[in-house]
């Protein structure tokens, strides 16, 4: 059974239809790259999956549980939206770290807030908070940042900040880790830092959806590639076919526009 099943997602802003009926499924351990020109709907799709936008039509299911169904008229309460959002971890292109918190505090903040809402927290407060801190330190170590746990965002390079953001997203153990152009704000050297981390996660079979303009990276790391254009999925397939022998003329023209085409 697919870990993620998306059906007929449509989204309009005013008179502009940004998503025009997107559907796909994703298996556990797969890496799905979303490629396409700016404005093709990739980021809007990611935001719909993470409940930052509400689709106009369609459904989203994770592990067989329907998280969203536009046919169900019952409005989701904010607390329920927050619960369903936990299935996804989202890493933004602009890091979005809290500047007043250290790297460690950024990674632990959401987990500690959730823990305080659980029954029996007061009786086991120290044990729970120590466990959350320990897991966060392990994640920072995994990101190559064990020695920067006490550093504030302004004391970190862009690549380091993005790696903290990845650790923060992983801290809540999401089913699916999502990246929205994770290297777009970085220079080439720092870009490679972040791509190495994502490649390691792929080798560890972390299920991921990646919006990226890094074509060579998408080819190398992906299990599947979706090429989007004008709010539609134009091409869907394994990277060797999408990049090596695309079936659609629009896909070929898009790939030819990249000097770094694989």
């Amino acid at each position: 059974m697919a870990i993620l099943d998306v059906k007929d997602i449509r989204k309009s802003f005013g008179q502009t239809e940004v998503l025009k009926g997107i559907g796909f499924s994703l298996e556990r351990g797969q890496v799905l790259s979303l490629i396409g020109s700016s404005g093709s709907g990739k980021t809007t799709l990611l935001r719909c999956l993470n409940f930052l936008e509400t689709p106009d039509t369609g459904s989203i299911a994770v592990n067989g549980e329907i998280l969203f169904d536009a046919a169900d008229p019952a409005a989701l309460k904010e607390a329920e939206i927050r619960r369903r959002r936990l299935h996804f971890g989202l890493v933004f292109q602009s890091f979005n770290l809290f500047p007043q918190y250290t790297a460690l505090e950024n990674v632990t903040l959401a987990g500690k807030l959730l823990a305080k809402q659980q029954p029996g927290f007061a009786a086991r407060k120290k044990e729970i908070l120590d466990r959350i801190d320990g897991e966060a330190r392990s994640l920072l170590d995994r990101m190559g940042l064990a020695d920067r746990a006490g550093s504030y965002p302004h004391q970190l390079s862009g690549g380091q900040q993005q790696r903290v953001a990845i650790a923060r997203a992983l801290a809540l153990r999401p089913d699916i880790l999502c990246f929205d152009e994770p290297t777009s704000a970085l220079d080439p050297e720092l870009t490679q830092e972040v791509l190495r981390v994502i490649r390691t996660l792929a080798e560890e079979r972390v299920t991921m959806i990646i919006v990226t303009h890094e074509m060579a990276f998408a080819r190398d790391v992906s299990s599947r590639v979706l090429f989007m254009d004008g709010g539609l999925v134009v091409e869907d397939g394994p990277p060797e076919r999408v990049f090596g022998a695309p079936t659609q003329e629009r896909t070929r023209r898009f790939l030819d526009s990249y000097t770094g085409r694989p």
Side-chain angles (χ1 to χ4, degrees):
M1 183 174 65
I3 188 173
L4 174 65
D5 192 16
V6 176
K7 295 180 179 177
D8 192 33
I9 295 295
R10 297 174 182 268
K11 179 65 180 177
S12 295
F13 297 97
Q15 299 300 310
T16 303
E17 190 177 21
V18 178
L19 299 178
K20 302 176 181 178
I22 303 294
F24 64 92
S25 61
L26 186 64
E27 302 295 324
R28 187 177 299 279
Q30 281 192 324
V31 178
L32 176 67
S33 286
L34 304 180
I35 65 172
S37 301
S38 297
S40 60
K42 307 181 301 298
T43 293
T44 299
L45 174 59
L46 215 58
R47 289 177 63 85
C48 285
L49 295 178
N50 284 270
F51 294 92
L52 297 175
E53 301 286 353
T54 302
D56 301 322
T57 71
S59 65
I60 300 168
V62 174
N63 293 322
E65 177 190 358
I66 301 293
L67 301 186
F68 173 81
D69 186 350
D72 182 355
L76 291 175
K77 297 184 181 299
E78 182 60 31
E80 180 62 14
I81 290 175
R82 286 198 300 270
R83 184 189 72 80
R84 297 185 183 195
R85 193 177 283 153
L86 293 174
H87 289 284
F88 299 89
L90 179 57
V91 179
F92 299 89
Q93 55 185 294
S94 55
F95 321 140
N96 285 20
L97 299 179
F98 293 104
Q100 70 273 34
Y101 296 132
T102 65
L104 180 66
E105 289 167 339
N106 266 282
V107 175
T108 61
L109 181 62
K112 289 181 177 180
L113 289 174
L114 287 171
K116 290 175 182 178
Q117 300 170 17
Q118 302 304 312
F121 170 76
R124 301 174 54 224
K125 178 178 178 180
K126 185 177 186 307
E127 173 194 346
I128 292 171
L129 295 183
D130 285 349
R131 174 181 56 78
I132 292 172
D133 278 342
E135 291 174 353
R137 289 184 183 280
S138 294
L139 282 170
L140 289 172
D141 184 37
R142 189 173 165 191
M143 297 296 119
L145 296 170
D147 60 338
R148 306 311 299 268
S151 299
Y152 290 88
H154 75 273
Q155 298 172 317
L156 302 173
S157 71
Q160 290 171 331
Q161 289 185 61
Q162 193 63 296
R163 284 184 279 153
V164 172
I166 295 171
R168 178 179 62 183
L170 287 169
L172 295 179
R173 301 178 182 177
D175 293 295
I176 302 161
L177 185 59
C178 301
F179 293 88
D180 184 13
E181 298 185 22
T183 61
S184 65
L186 303 176
D187 64 36
E189 184 175 2
L190 298 180
T191 290
Q192 293 308 310
E193 288 182 15
V194 174
L195 294 184
R196 277 194 295 270
V197 169
I198 298 174
R199 186 174 281 108
T200 298
L201 294 175
E203 292 169 354
E204 295 171 357
R205 303 284 293 168
V206 175
T207 308
M208 292 185 279
I209 300 175
I210 306 171
V211 171
T212 183
H213 289 294
E214 300 281 346
M215 296 298 108
F217 176 74
R219 179 202 61 190
D220 293 342
V221 79
S222 304
S223 312
R224 280 173 60 207
V225 176
L226 295 188
F227 169 61
M228 292 180 62
D229 184 59
L232 295 168
V233 173
V234 175
E235 191 122 23
D236 176 3
E240 57 270 19
R241 184 184 65 73
V242 172
F243 288 108
T247 61
Q248 302 299 313
E249 177 60 26
R250 180 67 187 94
T251 312
R252 286 192 287 271
R253 284 191 284 113
F254 170 78
L255 291 174
D256 284 342
S257 71
Y258 275 83
T259 56
R261 178 178 176 174

